Amino acid sequence: MIGIISAMPEEINLLVNKMTQTKTVERGMRKYYSGQIWGKDVVIAYSRIGKVAAATTAVTMILTFNVEKIIFSGVAGAISQNLNIGDIVVAKRLVQHDMDASPIFPRFEVPLLDKSYFDTDTELSNKVLQAAKIFVQNINRYITRDLLRRFRIERINVTRGDVASGDQFITDRRKHYELKHALPSIVCVEMEGAAVAQVCYEYNVPFAVLRTISDNADHNADIDFNQFLSAIAARYSTGIMDIFFSLI
Ligand code: ADE
């Protein structure tokens, strides 16, 4: 059984529609949809936004549904100048950018776990990367030319890189540059991945994080984010996850 988590219902509704033999179970104010995609057992849930929401969803997937692997799929704000809206990032490592117990522990280190960066599973991430590349090669099957033009999406870049998570939607340029300076390897920011990463590390469950760039983590981020989410985000995550299940 593979667990798929997204923060928002918009991002998973289309994927849930692709499931067969769907059963719904409610735990801790969240619905978990279990069933099959391409004959593979899967459980899908939307966590809501933020690290606690994502962590509790991941724990439920592990303890209640006995998932062997978890994939988090969602959107992110770009930090790297090489990323544009519509580009795709498969996380290498995750870090909690708002963790700061200094001077007792170094900034970003999760206290008493002795870790700042959590590695994603290489094999699982490579499969997700492969699915993302196939999605991009066939983009016109999933997203109309008009929609791509509306979001100025031209050449979609698919890349691997470090991802930072925190309970903060980044719209402030100063914060953006402060994070870029303090965590030079990060390519984008979001609000859940590193929480799922910590849970998966603690339970020894392989995981991957897939992020589509919805905004540039700047003064326009809230507008870009909302438009991207309502018009296009689900097509990315559903398309890539559907290809992923056809590959494994
Ligand atoms: N997810 C998508 N865009 C984001 C941003 N600008 N800050 C935090 N999380 C995000």
Side-chain angles (χ1 to χ4, degrees):
M1 176 88 96
I2 293 187
I4 308 286
I5 310 175
S6 289
M8 318 276 280
E10 291 92 328
E11 294 172 303
I12 62 144
N13 287 344
L14 291 177
L15 195 60
V16 172
N17 292 346
K18 283 193 179 284
M19 277 176 126
T20 54
Q21 299 165 36
T22 315
K23 273 194 252 155
T24 309
V25 174
E26 200 166 324
R27 288 279 185 288
M29 297 171 72
R30 283 180 190 77
K31 287 199 174 89
Y32 293 81
Y33 306 91
S34 63
Q36 292 200 329
I37 299 177
W38 288 91
K40 279 80 177 203
D41 291 327
V42 55
V43 55
I44 304 176
Y46 76 91
S47 58
R48 301 198 291 271
I49 294 173
K51 296 200 316 271
V52 174
T56 189
T57 308
V59 171
T60 304
M61 288 221 161
I62 294 166
L63 297 183
T64 305
F65 295 93
N66 294 313
V67 295
E68 296 138 41
K69 295 168 188 178
I70 291 181
I71 300 172
F72 193 100
S73 170
V75 294
I79 295 289
S80 164
Q81 280 182 340
N82 299 327
L83 289 175
N84 295 309
I85 291 174
D87 285 344
I88 299 168
V89 176
V90 179
K92 247 192 232 166
R93 302 183 299 173
L94 283 300
V95 57
Q96 298 176 26
H97 70 68
D98 55 353
M99 176 59 78
D100 188 358
S102 62
I104 306 165
F105 296 94
R107 188 179 176 197
F108 307 123
E109 184 172 303
V110 179
L112 308 177
L113 205 57
D114 217 18
K115 266 186 102 60
S116 303
Y117 290 89
F118 295 87
D119 292 321
T120 54
D121 183 71
T122 306
E123 202 185 317
L124 187 62
S125 298
N126 282 340
K127 272 275 171 267
V128 174
L129 193 73
Q130 192 188 346
K133 287 183 176 166
I134 295 171
F135 173 79
V136 170
Q137 281 157 10
N138 298 283
I139 191 76
N140 296 317
R141 269 193 224 162
Y142 299 94
I143 304 174
T144 63
R145 280 176 213 283
D146 272 359
L147 207 48
L148 291 170
R149 214 172 295 128
R150 201 179 117 199
F151 284 89
R152 297 198 179 86
I153 298 170
E154 285 164 13
R155 258 199 66 251
I156 301 175
N157 181 4
V158 183
T159 184
R160 292 209 66 196
D162 290 349
V163 176
S165 317
D167 286 323
Q168 196 175 7
F169 188 80
I170 309 293
T171 58
D172 176 24
R173 269 281 151 188
R174 233 176 318 155
K175 183 70 193 174
H176 176 124
Y177 284 114
E178 198 269 314
L179 286 177
K180 197 179 171 96
H181 180 72
L183 296 165
S185 71
I186 64 165
V187 297
C188 64
V189 280
E190 37 87 319
M191 301 178 71
E192 297 84 17
V196 173
Q198 184 178 336
V199 168
C200 287
Y201 172 76
E202 290 175 357
Y203 283 91
N204 199 21
V205 171
F207 74 98
V209 174
L210 166 71
R211 291 287 183 178
T212 307
I213 301 300
S214 59
D215 62 85
N216 291 312
D218 60 9
H219 60 284
N220 231 18
D222 51 337
I223 298 164
D224 290 341
F225 170 86
N226 279 320
Q227 289 179 352
F228 194 88
L229 196 73
S230 59
I232 209 167
R235 294 171 203 232
Y236 270 79
S237 57
T238 305
I240 297 169
M241 283 299 102
D242 190 48
I243 296 166
F244 169 84
F245 281 106
S246 75
L247 293 174
I248 59 167

